[in-house]
Amino acid sequence: FATAWAGAYRYDGKSLLHLGMAEGLMNNWVNDVAETSDGVIWLATLTGLSRFNGATVVNYAPADGSGGGKVMGLFVDSDDVLWCAAEGLPRFDPKGFIAFQRRDGFIDRFGRTAGVLALKRDSGRNFWIGTEWAGAFRSDGRRFESIPETPSTIDQDFVSQIHRAADGTFLWGAYGGLYKHENGRLVGVLDWRNVDALSSDAQGHLWYGDANKSGGLSRYNPKTHEETTFTTANGLPDNNVWSIEAASD
């Protein structure tokens, strides 16, 4: 599992193995961890991508094609290709890294190659992509399709979270609100929220965390529009919530 400033840990049921900069890791701030079929562990860090084969660590910097520095997330597809939520959406196979560029239409509002913050696969072969200052995209791995936004005064270009609910609905968390994908567009669910973590439960409630403003953990009922926020005053250990995972029970 990944931590901020403390590297990553692996628990085998008996003991913890620690990986940090002292062990060769690219950075002690780890955003995500993934494993390919060969047993290799990949770690997305604040300054690049690290690879751990069980004995040694190999690091990949932007010059190696792994993106523009920070890697926010990782995804291994059905073909065992590693995709990185980083600048240009780089993917790694035995031949090395391949990334998309501006010429592929992957451009942010400042004319740069878009940086990826969130990545999610649908039930087919499409990727849903949340970016830094370029909004939301859908891709089949070859072409990009920008997902239009509903007219709003809220900035929807900084999309940091993507979650697929039990009913198949895709939900998007941005620095401006919570949105859902409906009829080919992003439609607002909750405005004026900073969504840094996003999930849903079996009852259809939406759960989100606002870490940048220490906003705690919030639960939203789309049917009744009731919203409840839990903080340290309610027993939460910290008001900075960066990740939410629904338990199987």
Side-chain angles (χ1 to χ4, degrees), residues 217-247:
L217 175 66
S218 296
R219 180 183 63 200
Y220 176 70
N221 187 329
K223 295 180 179 179
T224 65
H225 305 293
E226 180 182 5
E227 188 173 6
T228 305
T229 298
F230 304 92
T231 66
T232 52
N234 308 107
L236 204 65
D238 193 281
N239 286 332
N240 297 304
V241 178
W242 292 100
S243 181
I244 305 169
E245 187 71 28

Side-chain angles (χ1 to χ4, degrees), residues 10-27:
R10 183 176 66 184
Y11 182 61
D12 62 7
K14 296 179 180 180
S15 60
L16 283 173
L17 169 69
H18 175 248
L19 282 177
M21 294 181 70
E23 290 75 33
L25 205 63
M26 195 78 166
N27 196 291

Side-chain angles (χ1 to χ4, degrees), residues 48-129:
L49 181 68
S50 293
R51 177 183 186 273
F52 178 63
N53 64 5
T56 58
V57 175
V58 176
N59 293 316
Y60 299 92
D64 300 309
S66 62
K70 64 182 177 181
V71 183
M72 299 301 295
L74 300 169
F75 180 83
V76 179
D77 68 18
S78 57
D79 298 318
D80 207 36
V81 175
L82 177 78
W83 295 77
C84 304
E87 182 181 301
L89 187 61
R91 61 194 186 277
F92 182 86
D93 59 28
K95 298 179 181 179
F97 287 98
I98 302 173
F100 295 99
Q101 305 295 332
R102 293 172 56 192
R103 63 177 178 271
D104 301 304
F106 204 43
I107 307 172
D108 70 11
R109 65 161 69 170
F110 305 107
R112 306 170 302 193
T113 299
V116 178
L117 297 175
L119 184 63
K120 185 74 70 174
R121 194 76 175 262
D122 64 16
S123 57
R125 298 187 63 86
N126 291 317
F127 285 103
W128 299 80
I129 305 161

Side-chain angles (χ1 to χ4, degrees), residues 175-198:
Y175 281 13
L178 177 61
Y179 304 88
K180 64 180 178 180
H181 186 253
E182 186 176 84
N183 298 323
R185 306 179 70 87
L186 291 187
V187 178
V189 176
L190 288 171
D191 287 340
W192 304 112
R193 309 292 196 282
N194 288 325
V195 180
D196 297 295
L198 179 60

